[in-house]
Amino acid sequence: MKFFELLDELKEELENSPKAVFSGKKSVDADIFLEIVEDLKKAVPEEIQQAKSLLSEKEKITANAKAEAEASVSAAKAEAASIIASAEDELQTRVSENQVVQDAQAKAKELMDMAESNAKEITLGAKEYADGILEELEMYLGDYLKVIRKNRSQLSSKRKD
C-alpha cells in the first residue's frame, strides 16, 4: 500500500534529519516533507476507494443472502401448501367413514406440523447462513477500520511533533 510506504518515507526523513547543536530539535527539509505530504493526500483517496469497494461487496453479499433466505422460505411455503393441499384432498375422499375422517385429520395435522417445522428449519438455516457471512464481513471490515484508525492516529501524532 502506497500510503504506508509514504509514512515510512516520512519517518525515515525525520530520523535521518540532522539535530541542532544545543537542543534535541531536528532540522528537516521542508520541501521534501511537503512533497511527501502531498503524496499522502493522493494516496488516502485510494484507501477510501478500497473501503468503498469492500462496503459494496458487503451489500452484494447481504442482498444475495437475503435473496437465498427468501427463496428458501418461499420454497418451504410452497412445499407446505402442496402438502396441505394433498392432505385436504385425502380428507375429502375419506370423509364418508368416521374412522377414516379421524385418520385423515390426524395425518393432515401431522403433515402441517412437519411442513411448518421444515419451513422454520429452512428459514433458520438461511438466516444462520446470512448471519455467518455478515459476521465474517464485519470482522474483516473491523480489522480494516482498525488499520485506518491506527494510521490516522499516527498521522495525528506526527502533526503534533
Side-chain angles (χ1 to χ4, degrees):
M1 292 186 172
K2 183 173 175 113
F3 183 79
F4 294 110
E5 292 169 2
L6 290 168
L7 285 176
D8 289 340
E9 191 177 326
L10 201 58
K11 180 181 176 186
E12 184 180 319
E13 185 66 32
L14 183 61
E15 288 173 348
N16 293 335
S17 296
K19 283 188 175 183
V21 177
F22 293 109
S23 73
K25 294 183 179 182
K26 292 192 171 200
S27 174
V28 295
D29 186 338
D31 290 336
I32 292 175
F33 254 61
L34 288 174
E35 182 180 321
I36 295 171
V37 168
E38 286 301 316
D39 289 343
L40 279 170
K41 284 181 184 179
K42 293 174 187 171
V44 169
E46 291 173 20
E47 303 294 327
I48 291 171
Q49 288 298 330
Q50 289 175 354
K52 283 182 182 178
S53 174
L54 287 173
L55 287 175
S56 175
E57 185 177 333
K58 172 203 161 237
E59 289 172 0
K60 287 178 186 175
I61 290 170
T62 302
N64 287 341
K66 185 177 179 181
E68 285 181 28
E70 288 173 358
S72 295
V73 168
S74 294
K77 285 181 180 179
E79 182 181 345
S82 173
I83 291 171
I84 291 170
S86 175
E88 287 175 351
D89 289 344
E90 178 86 16
L91 180 64
Q92 289 300 325
T93 47
R94 296 185 183 191
V95 82
S96 59
E97 297 178 28
N98 190 21
Q99 182 62 38
V100 173
V101 170
Q102 289 176 357
D103 289 346
Q105 287 175 339
K107 180 70 174 177
K109 184 180 180 335
E110 179 184 329
L111 290 174
M112 289 238 336
D113 291 345
M114 187 172 60
E116 287 176 3
S117 176
N118 285 346
K120 286 179 183 177
E121 186 176 322
I122 289 170
T123 301
L124 180 62
K127 286 180 180 178
E128 286 176 354
Y129 173 75
D131 185 55
I133 289 173
L134 291 174
E135 182 181 11
E136 286 181 32
L137 184 59
E138 183 180 46
M139 289 179 2
Y140 180 77
L141 290 174
D143 290 344
Y144 202 78
L145 188 58
K146 286 177 188 176
V147 169
I148 291 171
R149 285 183 179 149
K150 179 182 174 186
N151 290 335
R152 288 189 67 215
S153 175
Q154 288 175 348
L155 280 175
S156 180
S157 66
K158 296 289 183 185
R159 284 189 223 143
K160 292 176 184 175
D161 290 340

